[in-house]
Amino acid sequence: MRELTYDEAAVEAVAEEMRRDPKIFYLSTDPIPPLLREFGPERIRATPIAESAMTGMGIGAAGCGFRPIVDWRQVTFCFVAMDQIVNQAAKIHYMFGGQARFPLLFRATVCGGGRVAAQHSQSPYSMFMNVAGLKMFLASTPYDIKGLIKTAIRDNNPVISFESSRLLRLKGPVPEEDYTIPLGLADIKREGSDVTVVALAWLVHEALAAAEELAKEGISVEVIDPRSLVPLDAGTIRDSVKKTGRLVIADEAGPTAGFSAEVAAVATEDGATFARLKAPVKRVCALPVPIPYSPVLENHVFPDRKRILAGIREVLREGPAQAA
Amino acid sequence: MRELTYDEAAVEAVAEEMRRDPKIFYLSTDPIPPLLREFGPERIRATPIAESAMTGMGIGAAGCGFRPIVDWRQVTFCFVAMDQIVNQAAKIHYMFGGQARFPLLFRATVCGGGRVAAQHSQSPYSMFMNVAGLKMFLASTPYDIKGLIKTAIRDNNPVISFESSRLLRLKGPVPEEDYTIPLGLADIKREGSDVTVVALAWLVHEALAAAEELAKEGISVEVIDPRSLVPLDAGTIRDSVKKTGRLVIADEAGPTAGFSAEVAAVATEDGATFARLKAPVKRVCALPVPIPYSPVLENHVFPDRKRILAGIREVLREGPAQAA
Amino acid sequence: MSLSPQGRSAASPATNLPPETQREMLRQMLTIRLFEERASADYRAGKIYGVVHCYIGEEGVAVGVCSALGPQDRIISTHRGHGHCIAKGADLPRMMAELYGRQTGYCKGKGGSMHIADFSIGMLGANGIVAGGIPIVTGAGLAAQMEGKGGVAVSFFGDGASNAGPFHECLNIAASWKLPMVYVCENNLYAAQTAAAATHALPDVAARAAGYGIPGEVVDGNDIFAVHQAAHRAVDRARSGGGPSLIECKTYRWRAHTERKGQPDYREQAEIEAWKGRDPIARLERQLREESALDDAELQSMERQITAAIEAAVAFAEASPFPLPEQATDDVFAA
Amino acid sequence: MSLSPQGRSAASPATNLPPETQREMLRQMLTIRLFEERASADYRAGKIYGVVHCYIGEEGVAVGVCSALGPQDRIISTHRGHGHCIAKGADLPRMMAELYGRQTGYCKGKGGSMHIADFSIGMLGANGIVAGGIPIVTGAGLAAQMEGKGGVAVSFFGDGASNAGPFHECLNIAASWKLPMVYVCENNLYAAQTAAAATHALPDVAARAAGYGIPGEVVDGNDIFAVHQAAHRAVDRARSGGGPSLIECKTYRWRAHTERKGQPDYREQAEIEAWKGRDPIARLERQLREESALDDAELQSMERQITAAIEAAVAFAEASPFPLPEQATDDVFAA
Ligand SMILES: Cc1ncc(C[n+]2csc(CCOP(=O)(O)OP(=O)(O)O)c2C)c(N)n1
Ligand SMILES: Cc1ncc(C[n+]2csc(CCOP(=O)(O)OP(=O)(O)O)c2C)c(N)n1
Ligand SMILES: [Mg+2]
Ligand SMILES: [Mg+2]
């Protein structure tokens, strides 16, 4: 199968949907060149640096029958539009009693690793997860991002595509044929029986590397990529933990009230899952600090395969494991 | 001891600190009358409806040696200022290498119950908890709010005081003498041995009511009010769960990646706590929906003493409880 | 033009609107007033919940502007939304049922006073966040431009909202893109308790239009014909591809910022009384009588009809069921 | 006044600044340029990380404005911050060490190019969020007003930032409260790849001042004396309680938006060349020579000194240790 980068796969998803549906148009402060070339400046619009207006205009046009894509670019730029996201996009369908639909795709680059410091590096998806009325996902492969973006564009609600800055150049197989991936469906990226690692984005790849290494020692790691954050596929996560009895969560965001906390809660509030859990849950996350610039510092802040390995070893050591 | 309302206690804390320190001033779109009368329009400033500017101006004045208080009023109004909160206030001390201090108190009313619908009812504190660089608390009594606000005003960092709309008129004893309550210190509002309920704000009172009722059945409930969200007193929570073996978390916010998820993770990632946990963790939260207007609907969305009771009974039923 | 309560502006020039149109404008203004008087009473009686913001005294703006619009045109409102709803043609029973928190309300009881919308008539909703609607309706303007059918979008907002960032961002985009927009600032001189004089660098919000190269006009918001004519010019301009305009309507709210009991109102009583003397409804009545386009009998019949319609709306609301508790989880997402 | 690259404006009137001041202005502009040429080279060599935005071509603005300020005055910068730092008197070794990500940098390696600040000299920081600094420095203006010692605060921001909400909110507040502020728009005609012509309703950002009743002036940003004089007037006005001003400096960046390799630059080569012909540094050199205030020997010695200072800064940076990994958890909160 042909290979595309994560970034190319995302743009291809947009382009294919735009060819199919003339109601789709695109707003961002700097247009993406191939989209601009193909669709022209009427459908690929360069906006002033006014993300609040841009986001609200997307909502308004959606309510009038269009299907806008609003690209915030770095997720940190969308905080200026937070009212439009949280008070408007998320609530408007509900508070008007469902009388109009607001099909909207928001795109935002998250994660760190670029040495661009605190105002350009953040993984704040859990801030949005707590807001009722928004769907969102964070893909880890070119295949997944294409399928998820297509689903999101066809969805009749605001959906946020968080996209990992570390993966933009990652290549992977992407079929030529049209396909979609439903929201709310986790992907088991590797099957295993001793421990479950729930990981997001770049850390899916780091978890797979860790799993590879542990396989040499006879330890079998299951790697689950939820892909979709809201809705979250609690069933797949719980089934895996019921099987392995151990849970490590790897996330490039800070732990506090993060995605990782939600997964910990999802696992430990379910009776059947809790009953099989043999060791404490382990969160392998960024340190709770703004992201620093200097490579030495930035590298120290983020989790990686080594910390995932250490986390896995910790949950294997702890609890009534040996007894089981 | 004399009694004050929650709201009066908060205003008294501000007034006492303002008398003590001329560097404190207050920004909000509608000044609080008693503060305006005492301190005049130079120190109690009415701003245009421009929360983004207001918040940033607080940051700038703080960096120049003042100690501003920025009152967003309804927390939903602060989303227009989210860039200044998340990208600036939270990060500025760190990204500039600690060279300047930014003492700032933000005030925001949270929670629901007022039939004011989705754009005026939200409990989004977990959105801020995930952001490194912000301290925050949510008091449940007049005594606590006064002591915490005073601490926050004296702190050299941005601190958010979330204040419960349901409690504004709640009366309680408040000493005349100066006192402060440290951030990061939970308060055990009721001691008990069978189950731990970690609750916030209004739900502290609902949990106490539930505990009273269960006491009649011989069930002993410990009610912990963390008060401070960041830093969170994990030690007190864990110690309690180690003692009781059961954890219910009651929060007026939605569960997803919420405060409740964080407490679940804090309890279940700690080896000693996990080892004593006899039943799954239980979250008693708002339904994950925007807040509706009609009383029938709004009442259904929020947890209350009945749901806390049900949650407690559930964790008492489940797990190897009877065996212990 | 800048207006004091005494009104330095001359009465607007004789309009060439047909008398039935003028009477319809009166009928709509009266409907707003009587609807809100009833809503206010029912709020105090505990039948309406939360918070209600009354538009009484400002009726000339909503009706003056909406009478210059067609059904394909779209508007957005503020937290003070009843007037805009009624002027755009919303259904009184469904409005009242929404205030009563009933299943049959415009938002099935989920929105209440601050969130009444009727997308089917181009009313994109009241909005509880100051200036929050301006970007959304500017998106409706973009939609109208892309649809290419001559539709126009109108943003209503207060003097308070004109100090917020989205106002600026949207005026600039609308001007750059020549969107078919009309921005209508309802300058009632206060944002909640705060006087506009204390928070605005200049008394006229309309002066800001110059920064974007678009027309900015101050009109007496209590003179419905002046409002209508200004709106008409702006709508024509927008429809014909000329881009956006800013119209500032000087007006005044008669009641406190909200209907909440015990809410302070720091405005001077004399100021309130002076503005009551400039009642847009009484003014139109007077004009119509002077032109012999209205007599006592007609007026009484009009009032009777409106009162009956409001009674019917209340009866509908009262008879409608509350939502079922479980319906709280409906409508989070569209199918 | 509106400027094309050819420059319709006449050269600014003969200045009465003493020659040593004029030479100091030249020295500062040259320092900015040579510092950035070195930073750019070191970035390409992998010694500087992340992203670097160069100010080359726009030096006249930072130096022209800051030369009108005193040490008690405060400024804030943008993502393109080196020029403002140097013009306000920041230390080159600590700047370079920050770019190199070292412990001895201004931010201990936590900030990098986009976040250099020196509060001790009134430089409140570069800022990675477009328009993010405007409210913060307006707070510094409020602080100055409350301190009552005649301090002034200056906000530097781009043409792109002038379309963002905080610009509007702050101009209005500063004008209402008569804050001692100078708002300096560096209109380099582009926001990243997007031409200002495509996103601004009017070519002159300065036109927006009228909406707030404050002075708005367009100056040739490549004419350092014109900038200095405009800044001087605005600073005087602010210091004496007259409130804020908006100064728009038309200028141009010579390099791509960032130094990132392979980054596209869609601007016309001819446009870039035309603007290089209007180099603010060459222009001041020429003027000084014409006035016999500078000769080759002096210029060469100045360049040697600056080069040596930059070499010393690089040597300091190179010799400085990287932070320890554990220091990543320092400085989240102040004691
Ligand atoms: C962003 C935001 N800040 C504050 C409020 C609280 N608030 C509601 S209405 C209002 C005053 C609005 O004034 P104006 O825009 O002039 O409209 P008016 O009420 O006078 O019609 C305020 C401050 C809000 N709803 N949203
Ligand atoms: C809120 C926000 N949106 C987008 C960006 C990305 N961005 C960085 S610089 C820039 C262009 C800024 O243009 P301008 O203000 O004219 O400054 P210049 O780069 O020309 O000096 C953009 C869009 C950002 N940093 N912040
Ligand atoms: Mg008003
Ligand atoms: Mg620019």
Side-chain angles (χ1 to χ4, degrees), chain A residues 83, chain B residues 29-30 49-51 72-73 76-78 80 119-120, chain C residues 53 55 58 78-80 114 127-131 157-162 186-193 253 257:
Chain A
D83 172 63
Chain B
T29 55
D30 268 304
I49 305 173
E51 285 84 355
W72 298 317
R73 310 178 59 224
T76 50
F77 307 159
C78 89
V80 297
Q119 290 184 332
H120 284 74
Chain C
H53 301 85
Y55 194 66
E58 310 185 20
T78 66
H79 52 287
R80 199 175 299 289
M114 275 191 291
N127 203 301
I129 302 298
V130 169
F157 56 93
D159 48 290
S162 76
E186 308 185 309
N187 188 344
N188 60 10
L189 312 186
Y190 291 85
Q193 308 306 336
R253 66 170 152 75
H257 174 55

XYZ file of all heavy atoms in Angstrom, chain A residues 83, chain B residues 29-30 49-51 72-73 76-78 80 119-120, chain C residues 53 55 58 78-80 114 127-131 157-162 186-193 253 257, ligand 1:
368
model
N -14.145 31.102 24.452
C -15.571 31.358 24.658
C -16.386 30.747 23.531
O -17.419 30.120 23.763
C -15.851 32.866 24.739
C -17.344 33.143 24.749
O -17.993 32.710 25.700
O -17.851 33.750 23.799
N -16.162 43.943 35.997
C -17.074 44.714 35.138
C -18.140 45.433 35.957
O -18.668 46.443 35.510
C -17.769 43.824 34.082
O -18.437 42.754 34.742
C -16.762 43.257 33.098
N -18.468 44.894 37.138
C -19.421 45.583 38.017
C -18.877 45.554 39.438
O -18.850 44.503 40.067
C -20.809 44.915 37.960
C -21.712 45.554 36.910
O -21.915 46.777 36.978
O -22.192 44.824 36.032
N -16.530 45.626 29.485
C -16.721 44.168 29.376
C -15.661 43.656 28.414
O -15.874 43.530 27.218
C -18.141 43.835 28.895
C -19.156 44.499 29.835
C -18.353 42.319 28.872
C -20.592 44.394 29.366
N -14.503 43.409 28.973
C -13.320 43.080 28.184
C -12.439 42.250 29.109
O -11.379 42.679 29.542
C -12.625 44.364 27.743
N -12.937 41.061 29.427
C -12.253 40.239 30.423
C -10.847 39.855 29.996
O -9.979 39.599 30.848
C -13.073 38.980 30.733
C -14.310 39.223 31.604
C -15.537 39.675 30.830
O -15.423 39.901 29.600
O -16.614 39.806 31.444
N -13.756 37.751 37.669
C -14.439 37.441 36.402
C -15.944 37.332 36.590
O -16.679 37.210 35.627
C -13.932 36.105 35.845
C -12.488 36.070 35.503
C -11.768 37.027 34.851
C -11.566 35.000 35.769
N -10.463 36.604 34.692
C -10.319 35.379 35.236
C -11.683 33.755 36.382
C -9.184 34.554 35.323
C -10.568 32.943 36.471
C -9.327 33.340 35.952
N -16.383 37.251 37.846
C -17.787 36.982 38.169
C -18.146 35.572 37.689
O -17.458 34.640 38.083
C -18.672 38.094 37.620
C -18.066 39.468 38.070
C -18.791 40.675 37.563
N -20.151 40.654 38.012
C -21.194 40.941 37.218
N -20.984 41.270 35.952
N -22.418 40.905 37.692
N -18.042 31.361 33.477
C -18.191 31.252 32.024
C -17.746 32.524 31.300
O -17.452 32.475 30.112
C -19.652 30.941 31.634
O -20.501 31.880 32.306
C -20.035 29.531 32.031
N -17.687 33.639 32.016
C -17.224 34.871 31.373
C -15.711 34.871 31.186
O -15.180 35.675 30.422
C -17.617 36.119 32.181
C -19.078 36.233 32.521
C -19.502 37.033 33.572
C -20.044 35.552 31.788
C -20.854 37.152 33.895
C -21.401 35.655 32.111
C -21.797 36.456 33.170
N -15.026 34.019 31.908
C -13.562 34.054 31.819
C -13.044 33.320 30.599
O -11.853 33.404 30.293
C -12.906 33.552 33.094
S -12.612 31.783 33.125
N -13.489 34.089 27.625
C -12.979 35.089 26.672
C -11.568 35.537 27.053
O -10.872 36.142 26.244
C -13.896 36.335 26.541
C -15.255 35.953 26.000
C -14.027 37.087 27.848
N -24.937 28.798 29.548
C -23.879 29.814 29.443
C -23.619 30.544 30.751
O -22.713 31.372 30.828
C -24.205 30.804 28.323
C -24.081 30.148 26.944
C -24.305 31.116 25.810
O -25.015 32.098 25.960
N -23.710 30.836 24.668
N -24.412 30.247 31.765
C -24.161 30.846 33.076
C -24.011 29.805 34.181
O -24.057 30.164 35.352
C -25.278 31.824 33.455
C -25.211 33.133 32.731
N -25.549 33.268 31.413
C -24.847 34.367 33.143
C -25.405 34.532 31.041
N -24.977 35.219 32.066
N -34.093 39.513 31.229
C -33.669 40.884 30.923
C -34.724 41.513 30.038
O -35.000 41.009 28.951
C -32.342 40.895 30.157
C -31.199 40.248 30.874
N -30.964 38.894 30.835
C -30.209 40.776 31.634
C -29.874 38.617 31.543
N -29.397 39.725 32.045
N -36.519 44.395 27.620
C -36.138 45.273 26.516
C -37.004 46.531 26.511
O -36.834 47.415 25.669
C -36.351 44.469 25.232
C -35.746 45.009 23.956
C -34.369 45.090 23.790
C -36.561 45.398 22.894
C -33.825 45.542 22.592
C -36.021 45.844 21.690
C -34.646 45.912 21.554
O -34.105 46.340 20.363
N -36.789 50.018 24.554
C -35.882 49.935 23.406
C -36.569 49.319 22.179
O -35.894 48.984 21.200
C -34.651 49.085 23.788
C -34.003 49.527 25.100
C -32.714 48.773 25.433
O -32.104 48.184 24.527
O -32.317 48.787 26.611
N -28.922 39.226 21.898
C -28.082 39.274 23.099
C -28.813 38.557 24.234
O -29.765 37.830 23.994
C -27.880 40.743 23.504
O -29.158 41.281 23.901
C -27.345 41.577 22.342
N -28.368 38.823 25.457
C -29.077 38.330 26.642
C -30.459 38.988 26.763
O -31.283 38.528 27.529
C -28.241 38.648 27.881
C -27.853 40.095 27.943
N -26.891 40.646 27.112
C -28.316 41.112 28.692
C -26.785 41.937 27.364
N -27.635 42.254 28.312
N -30.661 40.085 26.060
C -31.916 40.852 26.150
C -32.695 40.594 24.865
O -32.832 41.471 24.025
C -31.534 42.335 26.302
C -32.608 43.254 26.858
C -32.081 44.685 27.081
N -30.988 44.749 28.035
C -31.117 44.562 29.351
N -32.297 44.333 29.857
N -30.057 44.620 30.133
N -32.671 33.615 28.120
C -31.414 34.060 27.500
C -31.049 33.301 26.237
O -30.029 33.610 25.616
C -30.265 33.953 28.505
C -30.178 35.185 29.398
S -28.655 35.198 30.342
C -28.930 33.846 31.477
N -28.163 35.258 23.339
C -26.863 34.717 23.734
C -26.464 35.300 25.077
O -26.491 36.520 25.254
C -25.833 35.067 22.653
C -24.656 34.114 22.673
O -23.975 33.996 23.686
N -24.443 33.408 21.578
N -26.093 34.435 25.999
C -25.805 34.887 27.359
C -24.435 35.490 27.559
O -24.141 36.020 28.634
N -23.597 35.397 26.561
C -22.247 35.925 26.695
C -22.165 37.245 25.934
O -22.446 37.282 24.733
C -21.207 34.930 26.155
C -21.310 33.589 26.908
C -19.804 35.511 26.238
C -21.017 33.667 28.401
N -21.779 38.285 26.623
C -21.727 39.596 25.987
C -20.747 39.545 24.805
O -19.600 39.114 24.964
C -21.315 40.683 27.001
C -21.005 41.995 26.292
C -22.424 40.882 28.029
N -21.205 39.956 23.660
C -20.448 39.964 22.399
C -20.274 38.571 21.802
O -19.698 38.426 20.727
C -19.086 40.656 22.516
N -26.304 44.146 19.395
C -25.438 44.032 20.576
C -25.493 45.355 21.332
O -25.917 46.381 20.782
C -23.995 43.697 20.170
C -23.410 44.669 19.210
C -22.664 45.750 19.665
C -23.609 44.540 17.846
C -22.148 46.684 18.779
C -23.094 45.465 16.946
C -22.361 46.542 17.414
N -25.043 45.333 22.578
C -25.141 46.517 23.423
C -23.914 47.398 23.381
O -22.886 47.044 22.789
N -24.021 48.538 24.036
C -22.858 49.415 24.186
C -21.745 48.669 24.924
O -20.564 48.812 24.595
C -23.235 50.680 24.962
C -24.013 50.367 26.230
O -25.174 49.933 26.107
O -23.470 50.524 27.330
N -22.135 47.860 25.905
C -21.113 47.100 26.639
C -20.345 46.177 25.708
O -19.113 46.095 25.749
N -21.058 45.488 24.842
C -20.432 44.535 23.928
C -19.461 45.213 22.966
O -18.518 44.588 22.473
C -21.517 43.797 23.145
N -19.700 46.478 22.697
C -18.841 47.154 21.712
C -17.427 47.366 22.244
O -16.542 47.754 21.491
C -19.453 48.504 21.314
O -19.252 49.458 22.343
N -27.038 48.757 20.251
C -28.126 49.321 21.058
C -27.472 50.006 22.245
O -27.187 49.366 23.255
C -29.058 48.210 21.540
C -29.527 47.325 20.386
C -30.542 46.282 20.779
O -30.302 45.534 21.744
O -31.577 46.214 20.104
N -27.199 51.280 22.069
C -26.512 51.990 23.150
C -27.543 52.541 24.125
O -28.078 53.626 23.944
C -25.633 53.110 22.584
C -24.773 53.720 23.670
O -25.029 53.534 24.869
N -23.734 54.442 23.271
N -27.778 51.745 25.182
C -28.727 52.176 26.208
C -27.995 52.817 27.383
O -28.533 52.911 28.479
C -29.635 51.014 26.640
C -28.836 49.867 27.222
O -27.638 50.000 27.482
N -29.485 48.742 27.441
N -26.784 53.225 27.142
C -25.983 54.040 28.066
C -25.447 53.287 29.288
O -24.676 53.861 30.067
C -26.744 55.286 28.530
C -27.421 56.121 27.429
C -28.011 57.391 28.028
C -26.444 56.454 26.309
N -25.814 52.055 29.445
C -25.320 51.277 30.583
C -25.019 49.836 30.185
O -25.729 49.267 29.355
C -26.354 51.233 31.733
C -26.514 52.580 32.399
C -27.396 53.524 31.874
C -25.762 52.926 33.510
C -27.522 54.776 32.452
C -25.883 54.176 34.099
C -26.764 55.096 33.565
O -26.870 56.333 34.130
N -24.025 49.277 30.816
C -23.783 47.844 30.786
C -23.965 47.392 32.227
O -23.149 47.722 33.087
C -22.371 47.544 30.297
N -25.052 46.698 32.475
C -25.445 46.364 33.856
C -25.414 47.659 34.664
O -26.102 48.615 34.312
C -24.580 45.259 34.427
N -24.574 47.751 35.724
C -24.555 48.967 36.557
C -23.573 50.020 36.057
O -23.482 51.104 36.639
C -24.154 48.603 37.995
C -24.952 47.486 38.612
C -26.446 47.721 38.562
O -26.912 48.860 38.479
N -27.208 46.642 38.592
N -32.992 51.560 28.595
C -33.907 50.550 29.152
C -34.612 51.152 30.362
O -33.994 51.821 31.177
C -33.183 49.243 29.496
C -32.174 49.282 30.591
C -31.682 47.910 31.036
N -30.325 48.017 31.558
C -30.000 48.529 32.743
N -30.936 48.999 33.549
N -28.740 48.586 33.124
N -31.406 46.209 35.141
C -30.676 45.345 34.211
C -31.347 43.981 34.075
O -31.501 43.464 32.969
C -29.232 45.185 34.699
C -28.430 44.216 33.900
N -28.293 44.318 32.538
C -27.745 43.102 34.261
C -27.553 43.319 32.093
N -27.215 42.563 33.116
C -18.250 38.075 28.652
C -19.303 38.494 29.616
N -18.961 39.312 30.644
C -19.878 39.711 31.537
C -21.190 39.309 31.436
C -22.235 39.756 32.465
N -23.170 40.691 31.832
C -24.356 40.285 31.335
S -25.187 41.545 30.571
C -23.961 42.638 30.939
C -24.093 44.062 30.493
C -24.203 44.144 29.003
O -24.265 45.474 28.618
P -24.652 45.865 27.140
O -23.811 45.116 26.160
O -24.612 47.338 27.046
O -26.145 45.319 26.965
P -27.440 45.779 27.779
O -27.581 44.869 28.959
O -27.264 47.192 28.150
O -28.566 45.577 26.817
C -22.938 42.037 31.642
C -21.733 42.705 32.125
C -21.503 38.426 30.379
N -22.742 37.954 30.221
N -20.547 38.063 29.486
